[in-house]
Each structure stands twice: as structure tokens, then as C-alpha cells.
Amino acid sequence: DVKVTQSSRYLVKRTGEKVFLECVQDMDHENMFWYRQDPGLGLRLIYFSYDVKMKEKGDIPEGYSVSREKKERFSLILESASTNQTSMYLCASSLTGRQWGHDPPTQYFGPGTRLLVL
Amino acid sequence: SQQGEEDPQALSIQEGENATMNCSYKTSINNLQWYRQNSGRGLVHLILIRSNEREKHSGRLRVTLDTSKKSSSLLITASRAADTASYFCATINTDKLIFGTGTRLQVFP
């Protein structure tokens, strides 16, 4: 079974702090994703990585950066946390289009990190 | 940007009843996926339907797709309390999924 783990389930930080959210997958997936989920807004893509050291902005990248130094690990960084970044953060991974085979990729999600910025 | 809009936003039913939720999307698709999210957890893939399919079954799940109306529906038959969750449709843009806003389903014992 694919396993995607996130470093924390709950996190409380203060405004202005630098925050690191870590995600690790064990299925050798090339694609990894960071989403934030807010009530009434669904899941919104923050950043996407399709290979080591490669990244692509999603719909809401402002205030965030990412790092992918190893294939299995994708980090989301809040350079200076703000209260409007209080949210649920979800990491996911998937095969890439070249690996699809017959079926397009499904995404496998971690359990989420609920971040509160005070 | 959100591709899908689910309807209704929330649904409450009794165990044993059927639950139907709908998804509308904006652009042409090759396939559409449905995911479930238990409270406070990550999403789990349920079922995928291709654009050349009209209906697909998986256990108690039945998904339909109408590409002319750009809509899909998810039917859960004989619902159980364990089906209580949020349900999302998602379409693919290259390797990226675009999720709808979700339907919150509450199944009462």
C-alpha cells in the first residue's frame, strides 16, 4: 500500500515564524503536491513537484515555497507565517503521466496537518 | 481555480437510504475521479470514470457521467453510518487534479 506521511497532525505557530511542513511517500512517485483546504473553498493547489528539484506553482503559491531535494520528500515552507495561513494542509503523491499505463494517476493523500497561526 | 462544483453542499440521510451527489465541471475532460474524505483526514480515491463511459459501478457506488452536460453523479446505495464523510469530484489537467468544493454526507444510524 502507498503510504504518505506528514510530519505533524497539529501545529501551532506564531505570526512571523518560519514553518516547515514535511511530507514523505514510499512508492517512488515522481509527482508530489501540496494543497490547502478551507471550508467552502475545497482543496486548492499550492505547489506541485514533478521531479527532484523541480517545482511548479499551483493556484495559490503566494506566501509559500517548497523544497524537493529527494524523490520521497516534499517540504512546504511558510517563510513568515500569517494568520490567514491557518488551514488544513494536505500532501499527496502520484505517478506521473509517463508512468500512467492504462489508467490515469490517482493521488494518494497524507492525513493532513492542521496549522493554527496565532 | 476550481473545476467542479458539487451539489448539494450537505446531505443528511438515514442508514439504508441512498445518497446521490452531483458534480458539474467547466472544461472538456478525459476522465473524472471521485474521492472521499473522512473528518479531519486525507482524501481517498473511490472511483474513476472515463469520458467514453456513461456509468460505472464499484460495490455500493455507482457513478454516471454526462459529458454533454458536463456533469457527473455519485450514488451510494444502502448507506451506512461509516459512509459519513465529504465527497469530492476531481478532473485532471495534465498531472494535476482540480477538485470541486465537496458534498458533506451525514448518515444517521
Side-chain angles (χ1 to χ4, degrees):
Chain A
D1 276 354
V2 176
K3 194 166 183 182
V4 180
T5 57
Q6 295 183 229
S7 50
S8 306
R9 289 299 314 278
Y10 300 95
L11 210 51
V12 180
K13 295 292 181 180
R14 298 213 172 270
T15 301
E17 281 192 74
K18 191 168 186 175
V19 182
F20 293 86
L21 302 181
E22 300 280 328
C23 176
V24 178
Q25 51 94 5
D26 66 358
M27 276 301 290
D28 203 35
H29 286 168
E30 292 190 7
N31 291 341
M32 295 189 75
F33 308 83
W34 275 106
Y35 297 90
R36 65 176 282 176
Q37 183 178 23
D38 301 287
L41 296 177
L43 277 78
R44 293 180 291 169
L45 181 65
I46 305 171
Y47 266 100
F48 159 50
S49 170
Y50 49 93
D51 202 350
V52 174
K53 296 190 187 295
M54 307 303 286
K55 62 185 179 185
E56 189 174 307
K57 291 181 180 178
D59 297 322
I60 51 165
E62 296 78 20
Y64 303 95
S65 62
V66 289
S67 171
R68 185 133 180 237
E69 296 297 318
K70 293 184 178 181
K71 191 174 186 178
E72 67 271 18
R73 188 179 298 269
F74 191 33
S75 302
L76 179 69
I77 303 154
L78 286 65
E79 297 289 344
S80 178
S82 63
T83 54
N84 63 12
Q85 292 178 310
T86 290
S87 187
M88 172 74 137
Y89 290 88
L90 292 164
C91 174
S93 72
S94 77
L95 294 171
T96 192
R98 297 189 309 277
Q99 301 169 302
W100 280 13
H102 188 250
D103 282 325
T106 60
Q107 290 189 8
Y108 296 86
F109 283 80
T113 296
R114 197 169 290 279
L115 173 67
L116 173 62
V117 182
L118 300 174
Chain B
S1 58
Q2 286 168 336
Q3 167 76 303
E5 293 287 335
E6 279 92 342
D7 169 53
Q9 289 188 350
L11 181 61
S12 294
I13 58 174
Q14 296 288 327
E15 260 190 335
E17 294 180 341
N18 295 342
T20 300
M21 47 207 97
N22 304 295
C23 165
S24 60
Y25 56 91
K26 298 173 185 173
T27 61
S28 297
I29 60 169
N30 292 322
N31 59 78
L32 184 142
Q33 303 181 20
W34 284 89
Y35 285 77
R36 183 188 73 223
Q37 183 182 32
N38 289 87
S39 180
R41 308 291 297 185
L43 279 72
V44 175
H45 177 257
L46 291 177
I47 194 167
L48 177 151
I49 187 165
R50 299 174 184 279
S51 59
N52 62 355
E53 297 175 314
R54 290 296 168 259
E55 189 172 309
K56 196 165 183 179
H57 295 255
S58 176
R60 294 183 297 111
L61 304 180
R62 175 180 159 238
V63 171
T64 63
L65 180 64
D66 187 336
T67 53
S68 66
K69 295 181 179 178
K70 291 188 169 59
S71 68
S72 174
S73 68
L74 172 66
L75 168 68
I76 303 173
T77 60
S79 63
R80 305 167 182 167
D83 294 328
T84 294
S86 292
Y87 293 82
F88 296 86
C89 66
T91 56
I92 288 183
N93 178 1
T94 57
D95 281 358
K96 293 180 284 187
L97 288 179
I98 304 173
F99 288 89
T101 51
T103 292
R104 291 190 311 279
L105 173 65
Q106 176 80 51
V107 182
F108 292 99

